[in-house]
Amino acid sequence: MDNGLDHPDAAREILVFALGNEEYGIDILKVQEIRGYDAVTSIANVPAFIKGVINLRGNIVPIVDLRIKFGLGNIMYDHFTVVIILNVANRTVGIVVDGVSDVLTLAANHVKPAPEFGAVLDTAYIQGLGTLEERMIILVDIEKLMTSSDMSLVDHVAGTV
């Protein structure tokens, strides 16, 4: 996956969203739509980060709560909670986040490599850190995250309904 670090003149548009006290960014081209959080149909015997499924205009879409997946704790659902519907790896999946703030264009020189934490912390899904004035945005490789082995259960959930 291109992280923008190999093309010094390239700029990229990212959708910025909040998880806990941090800001995260994903490639805007992966976003299909943004919806308010609504009830999901729960599926038995799935990991806690898979909230269930929704019927999106006739398509069954699995919903993943990134706050639970990233172990952020203190999960609350309020009027700022939204679902970002993504198109990744030829499938549609929704992610629950605390809120969406804006769309930014980041020049490649504003993207720094993710720090190495060794085996203590898995940074495989972090493309880098976007810096813009006083803001630091954690850039998530959403396609790599959504196609990881533990996310294969998402396909299974979508197929059970």
Side-chain angles (χ1 to χ4, degrees), residues 38-160:
D38 203 0
V40 300
T41 302
S42 299
I43 304 293
N45 299 320
V46 296
F49 65 86
I50 300 176
K51 297 303 295 177
V53 295
I54 62 170
N55 185 340
L56 182 66
R57 295 180 287 277
N59 294 320
I60 302 303
V61 177
I63 303 297
V64 174
D65 194 325
L66 280 190
R67 302 169 301 178
I68 298 171
K69 173 70 179 153
F70 290 170
L72 297 178
N74 195 23
I75 306 302
M76 294 180 52
Y77 297 91
D78 58 25
H79 62 282
F80 294 112
T81 306
V82 297
V83 176
I84 303 172
I85 305 295
L86 304 166
N87 285 313
V88 289
N90 297 318
R91 66 180 174 187
T92 304
V93 63
I95 58 173
V96 180
V97 300
D98 289 329
V100 172
S101 59
D102 49 6
V103 175
L104 297 175
T105 300
L106 278 179
N109 62 343
H110 290 168
V111 178
K112 308 299 180 204
E116 293 291 332
F117 291 104
V120 177
L121 183 63
D122 184 9
T123 59
Y125 309 119
I126 299 176
Q127 289 180 314
L129 298 172
T131 57
L132 198 60
E133 297 174 0
E134 298 298 317
R135 297 171 74 180
M136 182 164 302
I137 302 161
I138 302 166
L139 302 175
V140 177
D141 186 341
I142 198 68
E143 186 153 342
K144 190 173 187 179
L145 176 63
M146 290 298 157
T147 57
S148 64
S149 60
D150 57 341
M151 289 293 182
S152 65
L153 291 169
V154 172
D155 284 336
H156 179 70
V157 168
T160 59

